Amino acid sequence: MNTFAPFARPLYVMLKPIGAHCNLACDYCYYLEKAKLYDNIPKHVMSEEMLESFTREYIQSQTMPQVLFTWHGGETLMRPLSFYKKAMEYQKKYAQGRTIDNAIQTNGTLLNDEWCQFFKENNWLVGVSIDGPQEFHDEYRKNKQGMPSFVKVMKGIDLLNKHGVQWNAMAVVNDYNADYPLEFYRFFKQIDCHYIQFTPIVERVKGHLDGRHLANLEDGTDCQLAEFSVTPKQWGNFICTIFDEWVRNDVGDYYIQLFDSTLANWMGVEPGVCTLGKSCGHAAAMEFNGDVYSCDHFVFPEYKLGNIRTSSLVEMLYGEKQSEFGKIKQKMLPTQCKECDFLFACNGECPKNRFIQSASGENGLNYLCQGYYGFFKHVAPYMDYMKKELMAQRPPANVMEAIRKGLI
């Protein structure tokens, strides 16, 4: 059944055409374990029949004139180029006048001229996972033989630049590289990367492995962290230090997703990153076999919404189960969050990280709260100024001149 969504807003589904399979074995990868969900299926690849079914329904379910296909892994380039060429054929077949864009996430090691030509010719946005300079990147991002991957990633980036492909960086912040924020940030400037997403790694030894229920995430009794997890203090220092350099030199030239999303919340508009949004459930994830889950970080049996062979995307993403999932973000907030001056900027961040106790002993506080609170307090004067400039229809980059003049 292909019914139209009841609300005039985009319907997002992140596709996993190769499931959790990857040619790397990064220490902190939360998704490799998802292959265990499908131990009974020998080959974790999306069929062309499934690709066509999804493409048709995904486009027909949209109420907006723009449609974004997001391809994620595992490692997306482990599916052959012919698969993505077929995806383009199906998109054109079912577009019905809509504008269709594609974004793909890759570790970059399998990029070659042919891939880059395809991305350029079809205007695909490519996200590359790279964790800073070689010493930092290779600490945790190795292949299955334990060999480092930085050199291959940089070769892939060089090819993207050679072909003029639009790309951005997704950089994981861990216990090691978090101590070198300026070296980290300046590396991306050196390689001429103007769009950067910093993602703090927070993984518990227990919890993400056993598929615990979201309702139990507020229980802090077994929150032993994996050794590569960033600490709240590290995270706060990392983003504050980078912000200080960015706000003085790079506003309007280099785009840091966290800073842009923070400014969006300061303006009272929807941020570009779901972790800082008021609710969850805006983007589901679909596995290679058509199984749809509430969120990429909650691919567990209890968060399975259904399968597109038997349920429509509209039914699943606008259904009661997904609606309740989205509300949990607000329901789980402890009193400390509700009374916080920066609740509007944080919204408690991602529910998966809410496993410590507040100062009063209440469960459900976000593990990174200390770092985020320090960041929002630190950037408040600059955000206030940029908000004022935007409301006056002036560029927020004016903040740099204001700082030089000592106005902030």
Side-chain angles (χ1 to χ4, degrees):
M1 182 176 70
N2 287 314
T3 55
F4 281 86
F7 306 106
R9 62 180 174 86
L11 179 151
Y12 290 121
V13 179
M14 180 185 291
L15 284 171
K16 302 279 186 173
I18 195 68
H21 289 310
C22 187
N23 61 321
L24 299 184
C26 304
D27 290 352
Y28 54 68
C29 183
Y30 68 93
Y31 217 83
L32 287 177
E33 71 192 41
K34 303 306 179 187
K36 298 175 184 176
L37 291 172
Y38 300 100
D39 280 343
N40 60 327
I41 302 177
K43 196 173 183 181
H44 295 184
V45 295
M46 184 177 291
S47 67
E48 287 190 7
E49 177 267 332
M50 175 61 68
L51 175 63
E52 181 171 14
S53 295
F54 173 81
T55 303
R56 179 179 61 251
E57 184 172 344
Y58 188 58
I59 293 174
Q60 292 176 353
S61 298
Q62 303 291 337
T63 61
M64 307 293 283
Q66 296 84 24
V67 183
L68 175 64
F69 282 77
T70 304
W71 309 86
H72 216 280
E75 173 45 45
T76 51
L77 303 195
M78 290 181 72
R79 289 297 276 130
L81 182 55
S82 59
F83 174 84
Y84 294 102
K85 288 181 176 179
K86 184 63 68 172
M88 293 295 295
E89 291 179 18
Y90 293 143
Q91 289 175 11
K92 292 174 183 176
K93 179 178 179 180
Y94 297 108
Q96 296 181 323
R98 292 176 172 87
T99 299
I100 297 180
D101 295 307
N102 287 272
I104 190 167
Q105 186 69 30
T106 175
N107 60 42
T109 62
L110 301 179
L111 287 167
N112 57 30
D113 284 305
E114 191 176 10
W115 276 110
C116 293
Q117 287 169 1
F118 170 80
F119 293 142
K120 177 61 177 179
E121 290 170 1
N122 295 285
N123 198 35
W124 282 42
L125 172 64
V126 179
V128 180
S129 298
I130 178 168
D131 292 351
Q134 185 167 7
E135 178 187 356
F136 302 152
H137 177 93
D138 285 341
E139 179 72 11
Y140 293 120
R141 297 188 65 83
K142 298 180 173 66
N143 64 20
K144 294 178 180 178
Q145 290 74 45
M147 301 299 292
S149 61
F150 179 84
V151 173
K152 286 187 176 181
V153 176
M154 286 306 301
K155 286 181 179 178
I157 288 174
D158 289 342
L159 285 170
L160 291 172
N161 289 332
K162 170 187 170 184
H163 289 275
V165 178
Q166 185 181 1
W167 67 279
N168 56 35
M170 200 286 282
V172 169
V173 182
N174 54 56
D175 69 312
Y176 181 45
N177 59 27
D179 290 332
Y180 305 91
L182 290 182
E183 292 92 330
F184 199 70
Y185 178 48
R186 289 168 182 171
F187 163 78
F188 289 104
K189 293 172 68 173
Q190 288 167 6
I191 65 172
D192 203 29
C193 177
H194 289 256
Y195 297 87
I196 312 165
Q197 176 184 348
F198 296 130
T199 301
I201 188 69
V202 178
E203 291 293 347
R204 290 183 288 172
V205 176
K206 283 185 66 180
H208 81 295
L209 295 179
D210 59 15
R212 297 175 67 209
H213 293 275
L214 183 57
N216 293 332
L217 281 174
E218 60 187 45
D219 175 9
T221 57
D222 73 336
C223 60
Q224 181 182 353
L225 289 169
E227 62 180 9
F228 44 70
S229 295
V230 67
T231 69
K233 185 176 180 180
Q234 279 182 312
W235 176 238
N237 177 70
F238 179 87
I239 51 182
C240 284
T241 303
I242 291 178
F243 180 86
D244 284 346
E245 172 141 333
W246 174 82
V247 79
R248 285 165 173 78
N249 306 294
D250 301 325
V251 182
D253 190 9
Y254 290 86
Y255 297 86
I256 314 298
Q257 186 185 52
L258 173 60
F259 304 161
D260 289 347
S261 295
T262 299
L263 182 56
N265 275 342
W266 236 262
M267 294 289 296
V269 300
E270 189 72 22
V273 58
C274 63
T275 54
L276 299 186
K278 289 185 178 180
S279 62
C280 293
H282 302 300
M286 192 182 90
E287 281 287 350
F288 63 94
N289 67 339
D291 285 345
V292 179
Y293 294 85
S294 291
C295 170
D296 185 41
H297 283 281
F298 290 94
V299 177
F300 298 115
E302 57 266 40
Y303 302 111
K304 180 180 171 182
L305 300 174
N307 188 288
I308 64 167
R309 295 186 188 277
T310 55
S311 302
S312 74
L313 289 173
V314 169
E315 290 170 333
M316 289 185 281
L317 269 68
Y318 292 100
E320 183 177 352
K321 187 172 183 178
Q322 186 69 345
S323 176
E324 289 303 309
F325 177 81
K327 294 175 183 176
I328 287 175
K329 190 167 189 181
Q330 291 296 322
K331 288 181 179 179
M332 285 175 59
L333 286 173
T335 303
Q336 181 174 325
C337 291
K338 294 176 182 177
E339 296 177 350
C340 179
D341 292 340
F342 298 115
L343 175 60
F344 75 94
C346 172
N347 290 300
E349 211 248 358
C350 184
K352 81 177 184 67
N353 294 333
R354 298 183 188 178
F355 53 80
I356 64 171
Q357 291 185 334
S358 68
S360 64
E362 192 175 358
N363 289 329
L365 185 68
N366 196 293
Y367 166 75
L368 294 171
C369 175
Q370 177 190 352
Y372 274 113
Y373 183 87
F375 169 69
F376 295 130
K377 186 176 182 179
H378 181 74
V379 305
Y382 308 99
M383 290 294 166
D384 288 341
Y385 187 90
M386 288 189 284
K387 175 183 177 179
K388 183 183 69 174
E389 292 301 286
L390 281 169
M391 292 184 70
Q393 298 185 327
R394 296 189 295 263
N398 288 346
V399 70
M400 295 185 290
E401 182 65 20
I403 293 171
R404 283 191 283 271
K405 291 180 177 179
L407 300 177
I408 305 177

